[in-house]
Amino acid sequence: MAFMNDIPAAKLQFYATAPYPCSYLAGKLARSQVATPSYLIDTATYSQLVSLGFRRSGAFTYRPYCDHCQACVPVRILTNEYAGNRAQRRAQKRHGHLKTTLMGLKFDPEHYSLYRRYQMSRHASGGMAQASRGSWSHFLLQSNVSTHLVEFREGNILRMVSIIDELEDGLSSVYTFFDPDLPNTSFGTFNVIWQIELCQRLGLPHLYLGYWIQDSRKMAYKANYRPLEGFIDGRWQRLALDST
């Protein structure tokens, strides 16, 4: 595989999984290409992998490797050019009072409780809706790279938690969950804007959002953040998206 020459850890190996049901497009089968062993994937190596379309879940680093589908497009926001649309500016104003605290990765019962509520409300049929403490920790608290957990509080009330990886050329948004019960909120939108602004403060040109899938309601929202680049045909290129 030609791209392996770009990876600093020459001992990394790559394998393809067997087909499994796609989580985002009904009736589709998916496959992943996995980088291993995980203990060799430090921040520098992971930065290289992300720039080639990979992503991680816990210590599991992968990218789509489907036989007859290319719907998953790795995307990143060009943070220096981001201006925001009207809805995003409203979300920023609505939630700008939230207090943020950057923390290390550790188990917290309050975080776990909020995550369970979020999953039951937003993804009740998903595999993580009944996540045990062990599976939760494996999914979000296990990392071999530079990772931060961020709390967002309104007074003393926990409203949102975000996990972000710090890369050499940007931040990678790993996962965010928030209070699902409050009406008239835009926590998810505000969180992306907050991460963009953090990139700008740190002088990092990219915010990686994982995979954009145009025909998936869960993933299509990423096209709302402009300008957006996609990793297509082995290179990053600006996406020509319809106006919103």
Side-chain angles (χ1 to χ4, degrees):
M1 302 175 189
F3 69 85
M4 289 179 62
N5 296 328
D6 297 324
I7 303 301
K11 293 183 179 179
L12 280 185
Q13 297 181 345
F14 299 83
Y15 70 89
T17 67
Y20 55 88
C22 179
S23 300
Y24 300 104
L25 298 177
K28 296 280 190 179
L29 289 177
R31 297 176 75 196
S32 295
Q33 186 178 55
V34 181
T36 188
S38 59
Y39 65 83
L40 289 180
I41 303 176
D42 57 11
T43 297
T45 303
Y46 185 59
S47 296
Q48 292 275 349
L49 289 167
V50 171
S51 73
L52 294 168
F54 283 80
R55 186 164 174 79
R56 74 172 185 87
S57 176
F60 180 80
T61 302
Y62 67 97
R63 70 176 180 178
Y65 198 65
C66 301
D67 296 320
H68 305 292
C69 180
Q70 295 181 330
C72 293
V73 179
V75 291
R76 66 187 186 186
I77 300 169
L78 300 177
T79 60
N80 292 331
E81 299 181 44
Y82 171 79
N85 59 30
R86 183 178 299 176
Q88 290 160 9
R89 289 192 291 270
R90 284 199 301 265
Q92 187 176 28
K93 183 177 181 180
R94 183 179 298 124
H95 300 303
H97 65 286
L98 294 178
K99 179 182 178 181
T100 60
T101 304
L102 271 70
M103 309 171 65
L105 296 181
K106 64 177 182 179
F107 180 82
D108 186 306
E110 190 177 14
H111 299 168
Y112 179 53
S113 176
L114 180 62
Y115 175 82
R116 290 286 303 272
R117 287 172 50 211
Y118 173 82
Q119 287 291 336
M120 290 301 297
S121 175
R122 298 300 181 96
H123 309 289
S125 60
M128 294 299 290
Q130 300 293 336
S132 66
R133 172 173 173 169
S135 58
W136 141 272
S137 297
H138 180 80
F139 174 44
L140 291 180
L141 304 182
Q142 185 175 353
S143 172
N144 296 321
V145 303
S146 178
T147 304
H148 304 283
L149 184 151
V150 189
E151 282 189 346
F152 296 78
R153 290 184 179 270
E154 188 171 25
N156 293 323
I157 302 174
L158 181 67
R159 295 299 190 195
M160 181 163 53
V161 173
S162 189
I163 310 293
I164 53 176
D165 290 334
E166 188 171 353
L167 310 176
E168 292 184 338
D169 69 333
L171 299 177
S172 176
S173 185
V174 178
Y175 200 80
T176 296
F177 54 96
F178 47 81
D179 189 332
D181 300 323
L182 290 182
N184 302 318
T185 59
S186 304
F187 287 129
T189 299
F190 172 75
N191 186 271
V192 175
I193 297 168
W194 184 88
Q195 292 187 41
I196 292 170
E197 292 182 337
L198 180 58
C199 285
Q200 293 170 341
R201 292 196 298 272
L202 296 174
L204 297 171
H206 303 125
L207 175 61
Y208 291 88
L209 292 181
Y211 303 114
W212 170 61
I213 306 173
Q214 185 174 11
D215 294 330
S216 169
R217 182 181 57 83
K218 294 179 181 179
M219 294 295 194
Y221 75 92
K222 298 176 184 182
N224 294 329
Y225 300 92
R226 317 287 177 86
L228 196 67
E229 286 188 331
F231 189 70
I232 302 170
D233 296 330
R235 65 184 181 89
W236 289 97
Q237 48 192 291
R238 195 172 297 218
L239 298 180
L241 301 166
D242 295 334
S243 300
T244 59

